[in-house]
Amino acid sequence: METTAALLFTAYIVPVSLLDNVLRPIVMGRGLGTPMPVAFAGLIGGVLTYGVIGVFIGPVVLAIAWGLLVAWINDAERAGSAEGL
């Protein structure tokens, strides 16, 4: 690439990349019932365990486990309040 074009491209892509790293998790997490730290822990654990494919497997497995845990706790609370009646 020509030097001027390369510098202009670099000046454009650096802020866009930094902004993308901030906005993407916020936008993707809006409809997610799983807290972002849990999904992030799943991402890190998945990568450490399975490598590149763990980027996809880790958060999904941890999100399912989180959903089951929340359902279990809510069910236990409902059962406890029904016994108290």
Side-chain angles (χ1 to χ4, degrees), residues 19-64:
L19 190 61
D20 180 56
N21 289 335
V22 173
L23 289 179
R24 185 181 305 234
I26 293 171
V27 171
M28 290 179 69
R30 290 198 75 188
L32 188 63
T34 306
M36 193 54 70
V38 173
F40 184 69
L43 176 99
I44 299 299
V47 168
L48 291 175
T49 305
Y50 299 112
V52 175
I53 195 74
V55 170
F56 306 104
I57 294 175
V60 170
V61 169
L62 211 54
I64 291 171

Side-chain angles (χ1 to χ4, degrees), residues 10-20:
T10 302
Y12 167 74
I13 204 68
V14 167
V16 169
S17 295
L18 292 174
L19 190 61
D20 180 56

Side-chain angles (χ1 to χ4, degrees), residues 75-85:
D75 187 48
E77 287 176 357
R78 271 187 256 133
S81 66
E83 289 176 4
L85 292 175

